Amino acid sequence: MQFDFSNWNYSFAKNTDPDRYADNCADMGLTIAMLPRTDYDSEAEGLRIMDALHDRDIRVIVKDGRTSWANEKDPGIYREDILATKRAFNEHPAFWCHCVRDEPYPKDFAPMGDMLDIMRENDCPAFVNHHPFYSLFKKTFGSRENYVGYLAEYTVRHGLPLVAYDRYTHMYDEKIMSPEECAWGLEEFYLDLNAYRAAAAGAGVPAWVTMLCTGHMMYRNPTYEDILFQITAAIAHGYSCVQWFYPFAHGYSEDNYGCPVDSYGERTEIYGYITRATRIVKDHLLEPLKGYAFAGVRHFGRSYGGTKEYVGEYGFGVESIWHGSGIIAEFSRGTDRKYLLVNNSDHSDRFRVTYPDSRQDYFAHLQRGGFHFVRAFDATKAAEQV
């Protein structure tokens, strides 16, 4: 399966050292990097950064002030800006797409669609990141299911290459938020994981999710297990990319508490968490899934976000011994299947996997967010033991 790692970037190309930025992206395991912001007067700086990223086999989302859309921008001016940005960047071998908008509101969809059509007419692939589903969207669309249908149709109609969104409520700081609010936040996290994947499936495009890699507002600084959990939960729910908010501090900001690369350009402990978790996932989770495609997901112990409860339909039993919960994801390649077990508990857990022949039962011990491929039942071995 194809899975990418990406980032948000709020710094400026003029203030960015190309090789240092590219090294940080590469060491973090990013495969698609967001270009620090460019404009008409910083194309050369942006291209030098793209050169450095290309040297490290990293594709680029261009974030240019001319293609970033706002309601007040006249379509004629926007078309001219698109063409200028296209001339500057689209022929570069690292170019992947243009970042057009982050978190549009319902009122933005119609005028933004006109701008996306201009992008498509001029062969400029566009990237849009959506809000999580919350009260404003419920008021506008009536339900999460209605919004899923709208988003799928909108994605197709305007030629967007993927469905992307952000949601951080699973990272509520327990010292600030009540237990009830934290429980609500986790449920909403899974409701959206299922909903936006459904929107992407309805449009026939990949699904991306932005996850948190810095303390922010009421969200806590992530631990290593938080980073690992966010990656493995996304993979187990059929996503194609985790996009980090946000690794690179663009200056001192009192409401962001621990960017992986701080405002002095120094790598923090969270940078190490991302580097280690990404390497482990690439080597031990994604490598075995090469050629496989996501086929379904179940929860056990406790089901979140409307996810179907696992009742043994994959041919084995599984349970948490230490009062937790887990995720079972199915991946297919032709008639072959692999089943991924992810620890969905808020603590390390011991899982028992059981088979029709109990002599093949075994235990798996996993940290939070830890993963394990369930062993295939050996029918021949079972028959020999009878």
Side-chain angles (χ1 to χ4, degrees):
M1 63 177 289
Q2 176 66 39
F3 192 88
D4 287 297
F5 296 87
S6 187
N7 68 303
W8 285 92
N9 195 319
Y10 299 94
S11 56
F12 292 87
K14 283 186 172 183
N15 303 327
T16 301
D17 178 274
D19 284 315
R20 190 171 188 177
Y21 179 63
D23 281 341
N24 280 330
C25 290
D27 291 349
M28 197 183 299
L30 301 187
T31 54
I32 301 175
M34 186 170 284
L35 192 67
R37 183 179 169 124
T38 56
D39 216 310
Y40 69 93
D41 61 348
S42 52
E43 291 176 357
E45 290 87 345
L47 289 168
R48 283 194 286 272
I49 298 169
M50 291 178 76
D51 287 341
L53 290 166
H54 180 62
D55 288 344
R56 294 155 180 83
D57 296 320
I58 299 172
R59 291 166 288 167
V60 173
I61 300 171
V62 171
K63 189 180 184 187
D64 191 276
R66 292 164 291 182
T67 50
S68 295
W69 173 79
N71 276 330
E72 66 272 11
K73 186 170 279 193
D74 176 84
I77 295 173
Y78 193 66
R79 181 175 282 105
E80 293 176 5
D81 285 346
I82 287 170
L83 291 173
T85 312
K86 176 182 178 179
R87 287 192 295 269
F89 299 112
N90 281 34
E91 295 304 313
H92 194 285
F95 171 79
W96 191 67
C97 70
H98 294 276
C99 182
V100 173
R101 181 64 189 260
D102 180 28
E103 296 186 331
Y105 294 98
K107 65 180 178 61
D108 298 327
F109 281 116
M112 183 177 71
D114 294 337
M115 305 307 167
L116 291 171
D117 291 343
I118 295 173
M119 295 285 288
R120 181 167 57 174
E121 291 164 8
N122 288 280
D123 298 319
C124 285
F127 173 81
V128 174
N129 182 69
H130 296 282
H131 274 286
F133 186 85
Y134 69 99
S135 56
L136 177 62
F137 290 82
K138 184 174 182 179
K139 181 179 179 180
T140 303
F141 295 98
S143 69
R144 197 180 252 105
E145 291 72 24
N146 289 344
Y147 183 51
V148 164
Y150 176 84
L151 200 55
E153 187 276 332
Y154 187 91
T155 299
V156 172
R157 176 159 35 107
H158 298 295
L160 289 168
L162 51 87
V163 170
Y165 81 104
D166 54 69
R167 161 71 75 176
Y168 311 137
T169 53
H170 59 292
M171 290 289 292
Y172 276 157
D173 190 333
E174 297 89 346
K175 298 181 181 68
I176 299 171
M177 311 300 283
S178 70
E180 293 77 18
E181 288 170 321
C182 291
W184 175 88
L186 187 60
E187 180 70 11
E188 289 291 307
F189 170 71
Y190 282 111
L191 281 166
D192 274 359
L193 271 184
N194 289 327
Y196 287 84
R197 183 192 69 242
V205 297
W208 284 27
V209 58
T210 293
M211 299 289 199
L212 201 64
C213 69
T214 178
H216 176 61
M217 299 171 61
M218 75 289 285
Y219 308 114
R220 65 181 181 270
N221 260 336
T223 64
Y224 171 75
E225 290 187 339
D226 287 328
I227 294 296
L228 180 63
F229 164 75
Q230 292 181 105
I231 298 171
T232 55
I235 293 171
H237 285 81
Y239 279 74
S240 296
C241 180
V242 162
Q243 193 167 20
W244 295 115
F245 174 87
Y246 60 92
F248 303 99
H250 51 289
Y252 176 71
S253 176
E254 62 274 8
D255 71 342
N256 293 289
Y257 316 131
C259 288
V261 178
D262 66 20
S263 58
Y264 300 104
E266 301 295 331
R267 298 177 175 183
T268 70
E269 64 275 11
I270 300 174
Y271 185 94
Y273 300 159
I274 295 176
T275 300
R276 180 156 56 101
T278 302
R279 289 178 65 185
I280 288 171
V281 167
K282 283 183 175 181
D283 289 345
H284 301 286
L285 196 166
L286 296 175
E287 183 67 27
L289 287 179
K290 278 188 175 179
Y292 285 77
F294 173 77
V297 63
R298 303 286 189 272
H299 288 184
F300 66 91
R302 177 176 174 179
S303 181
Y304 292 91
T307 309
K308 289 182 179 179
E309 183 179 358
Y310 182 64
V311 291
E313 58 267 45
Y314 296 151
F316 55 87
V318 62
E319 62 178 330
S320 162
I321 301 301
W322 295 336
H323 315 293
S325 61
I327 305 166
I328 294 289
E330 180 184 19
F331 296 87
S332 63
R333 184 179 63 187
T335 59
D336 192 21
R337 297 289 186 273
K338 285 185 183 292
Y339 298 102
L340 178 70
L341 166 62
V342 173
N343 180 8
N344 199 31
S345 309
D346 60 3
H347 54 269
S348 296
D349 210 337
R350 187 185 197 206
F351 297 97
R352 184 185 183 194
V353 180
T354 60
Y355 298 95
D357 172 17
S358 62
R359 287 167 293 190
Q360 295 186 44
D361 296 355
Y362 69 96
F363 292 95
H365 297 82
L366 302 174
Q367 65 191 129
R368 178 172 182 259
F371 59 90
H372 167 78
F373 285 104
V374 176
R375 299 172 191 168
F377 175 65
D378 190 337
T380 302
K381 182 177 180 181
E384 291 174 349
Q385 291 176 335
V386 172

